[in-house]
């Protein structure tokens, strides 16, 4: 825990055996043969033959893989776009049209590149199914482009809820959706490919695993952020019931942080802390100003840390009260800490709102810490 003393100034494998590939052409579905040799002798499309042997189980695998991809794209990649936009918005208002466009382009490239180069998406990799051409190899960029363009129609959750793709996979002989039929591709179980579709995919497989980890991290971050926003925040009232601050649901009171503080709260998981110290104006000379009060507080805090670095002070308003904010970086017992310090003047009191965390985490924490600070108010208002 990061403590701060504060100050109060007063107080199974299918191998495609030869007999399967030599059946009479009249018994094979049109399109299962490909031209070969100078005499244009037609040989069976191996993956079409294989796909025709599948039952409804391939539909459920494809559906589960689609769900995994959908969740990771929306919450994983969507989380990346969300947090990037949020970071940019700290300096200026983000162009939401551009944010949406980046999300759509990234989602499109996700399917185009991964399926074209490897035959996998994250979901397909987990469910052990692969997109292949007629020879059992990754389809390539042209076929993948066709599949992905039609993907926008037949598996779009916002358009028919992906129903066209599901119906096609269930009723077509080779278990293909519209995109597969247009691109002459198939989705087969990896175990049935033997070594055909597994060559030169080591790097891509590693990339898929890395993308999965990154997507999960951003998905968890986004879901946590959404939960934090949805759950009702908690109001923390001072010991004398005169003042209060509001913090997210995952913050809790801890009076051991500073026994003199009127309010002491923390987010133990993220190591963020906020305390409020309040002092009546009647305890000071009537000529005391907020600027002078800030100077005394600053000098005391600087004397308590090693290698202090002061930020420039700013005059602000906190819930309509005049206030002065400044940052202070320094080391406490060898650990770099960053403080956000705000002195506030109300009609009857001077207040210190001290928020801090590890210096390396401050850029991510400052928005939340300032939001808690800005919620400071008198209870009778």
């Amino acid at each position: 825990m990061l403590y701060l003393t504060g100050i109060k100034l007063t107080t199974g494998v299918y191998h495609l055996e030869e007999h399967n590939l030599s059946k009479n052409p009249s018994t094979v579905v049109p399109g299962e043969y490909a031209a070969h040799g100078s005499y244009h002798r037609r040989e069976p499309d191996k993956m079409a033959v294989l796909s025709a042997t599948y039952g409804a189980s391939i539909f459920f695998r494809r559906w589960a893989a689609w769900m995994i991809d959908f969740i990771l794209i929306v919450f994983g990649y969507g989380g990346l776009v969300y947090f990037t936009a949020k970071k940019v918005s700290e300096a200026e208002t983000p162009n939401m049209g551009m944010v949406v466009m980046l999300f759509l382009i990234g989602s499109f490239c996700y399917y185009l590149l991964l399926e074209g180069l490897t035959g996998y998406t994250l979901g397909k990799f987990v469910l052990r199914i692969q997109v292949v051409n007629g020879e059992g190899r990754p389809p390539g960029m042209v076929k993948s482009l066709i599949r992905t363009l039609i993907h926008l129609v037949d598996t779009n959750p916002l358009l028919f809820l992906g129903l066209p793709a599901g119906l096609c996979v269930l009723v077509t002989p080779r278990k293909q959706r519209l995109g597969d039929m247009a691109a002459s591709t198939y989705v087969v179980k990896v175990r049935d490919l033997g070594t055909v579709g597994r060559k030169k995919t080591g790097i891509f497989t590693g990339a898929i695993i890395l993308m999965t980890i990154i997507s999960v991290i951003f998905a968890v971050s986004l879901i946590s952020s959404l939960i934090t926003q949805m759950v009702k925040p908690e109001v923390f009232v001072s010991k004398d019931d005169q003042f209060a601050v509001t913090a997210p649901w995952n913050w809790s009171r801890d009076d051991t942080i500073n026994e003199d503080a009127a309010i002491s709260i923390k987010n133990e998981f993220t190591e963020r802390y906020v305390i409020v110290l309040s002092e009546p104006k009647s305890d000071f000379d009537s000529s005391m100003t907020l600027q002078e009060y800030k100077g005394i507080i600053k000098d005391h805090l600087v004397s308590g840390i090693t290698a202090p670095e002061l930020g420039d002070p700013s005059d602000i308003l906190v819930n309509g009260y005049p206030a002065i904010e400044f940052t202070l970086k320094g080391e406490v017992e060898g650990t770099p800490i960053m403080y956000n310090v705000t002195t506030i003047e109300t009609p009857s009191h001077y207040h210190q709102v001290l928020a801090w965390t590890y210096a390396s985490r401050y850029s991510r924490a400052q928005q939340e810490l300032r939001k808690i600070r800005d919620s400071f108010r008198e209870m009778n208002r």
Side-chain angles (χ1 to χ4, degrees):
M1 180 180 294
L2 307 176
Y3 289 102
L4 183 67
T5 58
I7 174 176
K8 292 190 70 174
L9 302 184
T10 58
T11 60
V13 182
Y14 188 96
H15 292 292
L16 298 174
E17 297 172 355
E18 285 299 320
H19 69 274
N20 289 327
L21 304 182
S22 59
K23 54 185 176 179
N24 192 308
S26 64
T27 66
V28 181
V29 180
E32 292 185 0
Y33 288 81
H36 179 75
S38 59
Y39 296 100
H40 297 286
R41 181 168 58 88
R42 300 181 68 81
E43 292 184 353
D45 185 327
K46 299 178 181 180
M47 294 300 104
V49 176
L50 173 60
S51 298
T53 67
Y54 289 145
S57 64
I58 193 68
F59 163 78
F60 291 107
R61 285 202 189 200
R62 293 185 68 163
W63 177 81
W66 177 83
M67 285 297 299
I68 292 174
D69 290 329
F70 177 77
I71 292 172
L72 289 178
I73 287 175
V74 172
F75 292 103
Y77 179 65
L80 172 61
V81 175
Y82 170 81
F83 286 111
T84 301
K86 190 175 180 181
K87 183 68 175 177
V88 171
S89 66
E90 293 178 3
E92 57 183 81
T93 302
N95 186 325
M96 293 311 298
M98 183 63 68
V99 170
V100 173
M101 184 62 66
L102 287 173
F103 175 77
L104 294 177
I105 292 174
S107 302
F108 186 85
C109 292
Y110 170 84
Y111 286 100
L112 174 65
L113 298 176
L114 284 183
E115 290 187 339
L117 296 174
T118 73
Y120 292 111
T121 60
L122 302 182
K124 289 183 176 65
F125 185 78
V126 172
L127 271 296
R128 308 308 296 148
I129 54 178
Q130 187 177 7
V131 181
V132 294
N133 59 19
E135 298 177 348
R137 302 182 185 281
M141 297 306 295
V142 175
K143 290 181 179 291
S144 182
L145 178 61
I146 296 172
R147 292 185 87 256
T148 305
L149 287 173
I150 300 179
H151 201 294
L152 299 175
V153 178
D154 65 355
T155 60
N156 190 331
L158 302 179
L159 186 64
F160 310 120
L161 300 175
L163 187 60
L167 290 176
C168 284
V169 172
L170 284 173
V171 303
T172 55
R174 296 182 290 278
K175 305 300 181 289
Q176 295 171 295
R177 64 174 179 84
L178 296 175
D180 290 317
M181 289 185 282
S184 297
T185 56
Y186 309 91
V187 176
V188 299
K189 299 174 183 177
V190 173
R191 71 186 184 193
D192 295 336
L193 289 174
T195 60
V196 175
R198 303 184 188 180
K199 297 179 180 179
K200 300 181 181 179
T201 60
I203 295 177
F204 294 117
T205 299
I208 288 175
I209 294 174
L210 178 61
M211 288 180 62
T212 302
I213 295 173
I214 294 174
S215 297
V216 169
I217 291 173
F218 278 109
V220 171
S221 298
L222 179 59
I223 292 172
S224 175
S225 178
L226 292 175
I227 291 175
T228 299
Q229 294 177 21
M230 292 172 59
V231 177
K232 184 178 179 181
E234 185 171 352
V235 176
F236 296 93
V237 182
S238 62
K239 296 174 182 178
D240 58 6
D241 296 326
Q242 297 299 307
F243 308 98
V245 294
T246 302
W249 63 274
N250 51 355
W251 283 68
S252 59
R253 185 184 293 273
D254 186 353
D255 293 330
T256 65
I257 298 174
N258 188 307
E259 295 180 354
D260 293 328
I263 301 173
S264 300
I265 60 176
K266 66 179 180 181
N267 184 328
E268 192 166 13
F269 179 75
T270 57
E271 293 278 8
R272 300 173 185 177
Y273 304 86
V274 173
I275 64 172
V276 180
L277 294 112
S278 301
E279 301 179 89
K281 282 186 172 181
S282 58
D283 291 343
F284 300 96
D285 189 282
S286 59
S287 63
M288 172 74 75
T289 65
L290 179 61
Q291 186 70 35
E292 291 173 335
Y293 183 78
K294 184 271 297 184
I296 297 172
I297 300 303
K298 179 199 68 176
D299 291 342
H300 172 75
L301 293 175
V302 167
S303 67
I305 63 176
T306 304
E309 297 178 20
L310 272 169
D312 295 330
S314 301
D315 293 326
I316 61 173
L317 289 176
V318 174
N319 241 332
Y321 306 120
I324 302 174
E325 175 193 44
F326 63 92
T327 58
L328 174 61
K329 181 180 179 182
E331 293 186 2
V332 177
E333 297 181 354
T335 302
I337 307 297
M338 177 70 84
Y339 302 102
N340 180 285
V341 185
T342 306
T343 54
I344 304 172
E345 181 180 4
T346 61
S348 59
H349 287 72
Y350 287 114
H351 308 272
Q352 305 166 51
V353 180
L354 279 67
W356 70 96
T357 187
Y358 292 108
S360 59
R361 303 179 185 178
Y362 181 74
S363 61
R364 299 189 299 272
Q366 60 179 326
Q367 185 174 3
E368 182 181 50
L369 296 177
R370 283 174 171 157
K371 188 174 182 179
I372 295 173
R373 184 273 314 279
D374 290 342
S375 71
F376 175 86
R377 67 189 186 280
E378 290 181 320
M379 291 297 292
N380 57 4
R381 288 191 59 174

